[in-house]
Amino acid sequence: MDRYHLTAAGLLMMKRGFWFVVGLVVTIILLPSLVLSNSIGEQGIYADRLRAEPYNLLGRKIAIGQVEIGRPAQFGYDKVAAWQPPYKLAGVFFRDQIAKPNTYLDNHAAMVATVMVSDDKKIPGVAPKARLYSGAVGSLRRGGQPEECLTSQNIARQNSGDVRAINFSFGESLQRDQRQEPKLDGQALLTQCVDWSSRVEDVLYVIAGNQGKGGIPIPTDHFNGITTAYTAKREGKFTKVDFANISALPVGIGRSLIKREINDGSRRSINLVAPGNKIELYDLKGKLNTVSGTSFAAPHITASVALLQEYGDQQINQKNPHWSLDSRHHQVMKAVMLNAADKIKDKGDGLRLGMRRTVLTKDQKTWLESDAYKDPKIPLDMQMGTGHLNTFRAYQQFSNGQWSAAESIPAIGWDYATVTANSYQDYALEKPLKANSFVSITLAWDRLVELIDTNRNNLYDLDESFQDRGLNNLDVYLLPAQEDNNNKYTCASLSDSDSLEHIFCPVPISGNYKIRVQYRQQVNEKEQAFALAWWTVPE
């Protein structure tokens, strides 16, 4: 078994007059070809149900992006491609320019693209009809975070500025960061760039979450997107957080390095986990490789956005009630996918929200044993975030539509709204909740990062920087319907360091309840936009 990994300072080599990227940016494990692991089916994320009738969702007309050191080959454009890849690309770029043929081709990028948009029958992608724009950063010997930011901005502006999600299966090491004594505090240029771009371009960034033990942590300390870890199979299903992810608080040997390479302070990094162990994918020559890493978990999430957004656009075009352009916001996608994640397998009575698997940490613990379950100030489990991606459950969460605080809300739904400082929004559930049933609630909003635009062209340029204006503090509560005292909550999420809150708790007694979004502390703007998703079990 050949194991190797390289950091984001990916190497370039010359072969027959063409540049190829050979440096990978997360741990990749090459194994002998095994039986196809169907990570998009019931073993993994259940996306195959959405591809079939009656849903027939393939990501049509939805643009997604990819930023890496190199890029996939485009058939007919890159003449050195030895075969016709099982995917079509909407555009290929080198930084902020159209890529020249046969340059910066990369096996790693090709395999990541396969996860997202392959239309091969044996190795199907999650969203084969999505429009994938791929950007190569190129040799980092002559660049770094500024060039990575420039490339990201360019991808976010493709498709007439309508790219719904961007995949980062690469990252930067702290050793290459230009700051004095750098740490994962959200202040690296690329991290700030991701949070600025997500807000300005309204795009969901999905970041491969390699932290700890000399990983590639920047920009895993971002706030406004999703950072993922990866799972391996146990008893035929992806359920176990795998070894190469961030795994624990910094203790013991190597404590100093690991402490610097996980998020500074109390904020957790991982938001969601997805399949990433022993995934079979095509390289540039059409050869099947069996690979592992967070690189291949992230594109499962990115491409799932395309399926959900295709459905949302259908509802908007048909002018269906409880649908609006709000469904396109990146905060909505984040809240929906995190709230619909699998944690604990349902027993068949629906009390655990129909979840399809029990997810285990590396030390064999479930979400119910985590500090996130027990402490309202901790919204995310250290290893699994809110749980495992289930794209079909995300569809169920999303498809119930948008419901505002001005009306009684159904058992499942979402909203995009604003709340004013020192105020709150109450969402009254229209039906009583069933005793001993679980409630899942996720609240997501943005850190405010602004561009210091010295030439006033409204674009990031290589010599420019960003200003972090901080994070307003929001909380979320589940309260009895007649209760106004926040301290008498049934459940709550009260983190003071993150841009999301998450509740997963049982309802002790049957009765009427409401969800409260509280704007507790103003740091920048008085009005704060947020997305809210909820899943409950009514009587």
Side-chain angles (χ1 to χ4, degrees):
M1 180 165 59
D2 178 25
R3 300 184 178 187
Y4 63 97
H5 72 280
L6 294 172
T7 68
L11 302 178
L12 294 176
M13 66 181 297
M14 179 74 80
K15 182 179 181 182
R16 295 181 183 176
F18 300 115
W19 284 105
F20 287 83
V21 177
V22 298
L24 303 189
V25 292
V26 299
T27 298
I28 307 297
I29 303 171
L30 296 186
L31 303 170
S33 184
L34 304 175
V35 177
L36 172 64
S37 58
N38 185 12
S39 61
I40 73 168
E42 293 188 4
Q43 300 170 1
I45 65 173
Y46 292 88
D48 59 344
R49 297 184 63 180
L50 295 177
R51 292 158 51 99
E53 297 293 343
Y55 311 103
N56 194 27
L57 297 174
L58 299 172
R60 299 174 186 86
K61 299 181 180 180
I62 303 300
I64 57 178
Q66 173 187 21
V67 177
E68 297 200 39
I69 304 303
R71 64 173 178 85
Q74 181 161 288
F75 184 72
Y77 185 71
D78 297 303
K79 304 302 182 184
V80 297
W83 72 307
Q84 182 169 351
Y87 49 76
K88 295 179 181 178
L89 302 175
V92 290
F93 300 88
F94 168 64
R95 297 180 182 171
D96 60 347
Q97 304 292 323
I98 295 174
K100 295 180 180 179
N102 313 313
T103 57
Y104 301 106
L105 303 181
D106 180 21
N107 277 326
H108 182 263
M111 291 187 285
V112 171
T114 300
V115 174
M116 292 189 278
V117 293
S118 169
D119 62 1
D120 184 78
K121 290 183 178 180
K122 183 179 180 182
I123 310 292
V126 176
K129 297 299 183 183
R131 297 174 54 82
L132 178 61
Y133 294 87
S134 181
V137 176
S139 172
L140 297 186
R141 291 177 176 175
R142 296 191 297 271
Q145 293 186 48
E147 288 75 16
E148 292 159 6
C149 180
L150 190 70
T151 307
S152 304
Q153 174 183 249
N154 181 57
I155 294 298
R157 292 173 59 84
Q158 297 307 309
N159 202 50
S160 300
D162 185 19
V163 174
R164 309 294 172 88
I166 294 177
N167 192 83
F168 264 43
S169 285
F170 86 108
E172 274 282 359
S173 66
L174 281 172
Q175 286 84 348
R176 283 174 47 85
D177 192 85
Q178 298 299 309
R179 297 172 294 160
Q180 289 187 346
E181 298 184 1
K183 55 186 177 180
L184 292 184
D185 55 3
Q187 301 306 311
L189 186 141
L190 182 58
T191 302
Q192 291 184 331
C193 174
V194 164
D195 280 349
W196 167 77
S197 177
S198 65
R199 180 180 62 84
V200 172
E201 305 293 349
D202 201 3
V203 58
L204 181 67
Y205 280 84
V206 181
I207 311 295
N210 283 42
Q211 288 190 350
K213 298 184 180 179
I216 49 166
I218 299 169
T220 59
D221 54 336
H222 68 130
F223 285 76
N224 299 349
I226 291 175
T227 301
T228 181
Y230 76 92
T231 53
K233 278 185 181 179
R234 293 295 183 270
E235 299 181 356
K237 180 170 285 193
F238 288 93
T239 58
K240 182 88 178 324
V241 179
D242 209 358
F243 73 94
N245 299 293
I246 176 173
S247 61
L249 293 170
V251 294
I253 297 175
R255 181 181 187 274
S256 177
L257 173 62
I258 298 173
K259 186 174 182 180
R260 286 202 311 121
E261 291 199 343
I262 67 171
N263 280 351
D264 187 52
S266 61
R267 191 168 70 93
R268 303 277 168 89
S269 169
I270 301 301
N271 303 124
L272 192 64
V273 296
N277 178 267
K278 297 181 181 178
I279 307 295
E280 276 196 327
L281 299 167
Y282 292 116
D283 63 17
L284 288 171
K285 296 181 179 180
K287 179 183 176 182
L288 274 178
N289 292 294
T290 302
V291 295
S292 295
T294 52
S295 279
F296 310 108
H300 283 85
I301 301 171
T302 306
S304 292
V305 171
L307 300 183
L308 300 179
Q309 287 295 298
E310 180 187 2
Y311 176 81
D313 281 5
Q314 288 174 358
Q315 307 312 303
I316 294 169
N317 293 336
Q318 294 168 8
K319 295 182 170 54
N320 286 335
H322 297 287
W323 284 92
S324 73
L325 293 177
D326 286 344
S327 66
R328 296 178 177 177
H329 288 304
H330 64 279
Q331 302 99 318
V332 171
M333 282 290 91
K334 180 176 179 177
V336 162
M337 299 178 87
L338 268 56
N339 203 60
D342 284 332
K343 292 182 179 68
I344 303 292
K345 187 175 182 179
D346 193 273
K347 296 179 179 179
D349 54 14
L351 296 181
R352 291 178 173 175
L353 312 180
M355 293 184 179
R356 298 301 185 99
R357 86 200 81 198
T358 295
V359 187
L360 298 174
T361 62
K362 290 191 287 187
D363 48 355
Q364 302 292 334
K365 293 184 178 180
T366 72
W367 218 88
L368 298 182
E369 299 172 271
S370 70
D371 53 5
Y373 179 66
K374 301 169 185 176
D375 188 343
K377 292 185 178 181
I378 302 175
L380 298 170
D381 178 77
M382 174 67 78
Q383 297 185 38
M384 72 175 79
T386 67
H388 199 289
L389 172 66
N390 185 321
T391 307
F392 185 75
R393 291 190 79 247
Y395 161 82
Q396 292 176 300
Q397 174 79 74
F398 190 48
S399 64
N400 227 38
Q402 180 179 12
W403 299 81
S404 75
E407 55 192 326
S408 296
I409 61 173
I412 304 172
W414 57 269
D415 190 26
Y416 180 82
T418 60
V419 63
T420 304
N422 302 313
S423 182
Y424 58 82
Q425 292 270 27
D426 277 353
Y427 293 78
L429 288 153
E430 63 182 357
K431 293 183 180 180
L433 300 186
K434 185 178 292 187
N436 301 315
S437 68
F438 275 78
V439 170
S440 183
I441 304 169
T442 302
L443 176 69
W445 67 102
D446 280 350
R447 175 173 70 146
L448 180 56
V449 176
E450 294 181 339
L451 173 66
I452 301 176
D453 190 13
T454 55
N455 62 2
R456 299 183 182 181
N457 66 349
N458 296 317
L459 295 172
Y460 171 76
D461 297 294
L462 288 178
D463 58 346
E464 293 179 334
S465 59
F466 298 94
Q467 177 186 9
D468 177 14
R469 293 192 55 204
L471 178 68
N472 291 327
N473 192 356
L474 274 59
D475 293 327
V476 66
Y477 300 86
L478 180 69
L479 294 163
Q482 304 306 316
E483 184 58 67
D484 272 334
N485 187 343
N486 289 347
N487 293 325
K488 295 183 178 180
Y489 60 79
T490 301
C491 310
S493 183
L494 309 172
S495 170
D496 58 6
S497 62
D498 213 328
S499 60
L500 68 87
E501 302 287 359
H502 180 69
I503 288 172
F504 182 68
C505 72
V507 176
I509 58 174
S510 176
N512 291 306
Y513 291 86
K514 63 186 176 184
I515 299 167
R516 172 168 292 178
V517 176
Q518 178 82 48
Y519 190 161
R520 180 152 62 97
Q521 182 181 10
Q522 180 182 351
V523 174
N524 46 69
E525 302 296 334
K526 185 176 181 180
E527 295 288 330
Q528 178 62 60
F530 66 87
L532 180 71
W534 62 90
W535 193 316
T536 65
V537 182
E539 285 280 11

